[in-house]
Amino acid sequence: MFSEYNLYDLFVLYIQKTNPNLYEDFTIYCKTLWSKEKAKTQNIGAFVNSLAPQQSLVCIQSLIGIEMETLEAEFETASRRRENMN
């Protein structure tokens, strides 16, 4: 099994390796949740609250069984919490 992200990575590493506009950055800007197994053990509130300041993107696999209403509520709560901290 592999993801299309593996293909993107290979493209950049081997095809675009001489492109002067690309550089390596090991910062994780997108927090992800891909598997049903992980979703069963991962509290969504904890997942949302664990976002680092630089993480402006979230990718949650739609087929893992988390209701959209649950995600919306958790992100709203986390957003208000962050606003109150600033």
Side-chain angles (χ1 to χ4, degrees):
M1 293 177 53
F2 69 95
S3 163
E4 68 270 16
Y5 294 103
N6 297 107
L7 296 176
Y8 301 149
D9 184 47
L10 292 172
F11 177 77
V12 170
L13 286 174
Y14 296 102
I15 307 300
Q16 290 287 306
K17 64 183 173 185
T18 59
N19 184 335
N21 298 312
L22 297 176
Y23 64 94
E24 282 190 86
D25 181 354
F26 296 102
T27 304
I28 299 172
Y29 295 100
C30 182
K31 187 168 182 75
T32 60
L33 183 56
W34 289 108
S35 70
K36 284 184 180 183
E37 293 78 26
K38 184 72 172 176
K40 288 177 185 175
T41 62
Q42 174 80 55
N43 176 288
I44 296 304
F47 173 84
V48 171
N49 290 325
S50 70
L51 290 169
Q54 77 277 3
Q55 290 177 317
S56 56
L57 304 166
V58 173
C59 182
I60 299 175
Q61 173 54 260
S62 61
L63 301 174
I64 62 175
I66 300 172
E67 296 294 324
M68 186 57 105
E69 293 79 16
T70 301
L71 292 173
E72 288 176 8
E74 292 295 346
F75 279 99
E76 283 292 326
T77 301
S79 178
R80 281 194 298 276
R81 189 177 304 117
R82 284 188 182 204
E83 286 176 3
N84 292 334
M85 291 173 55
N86 293 329

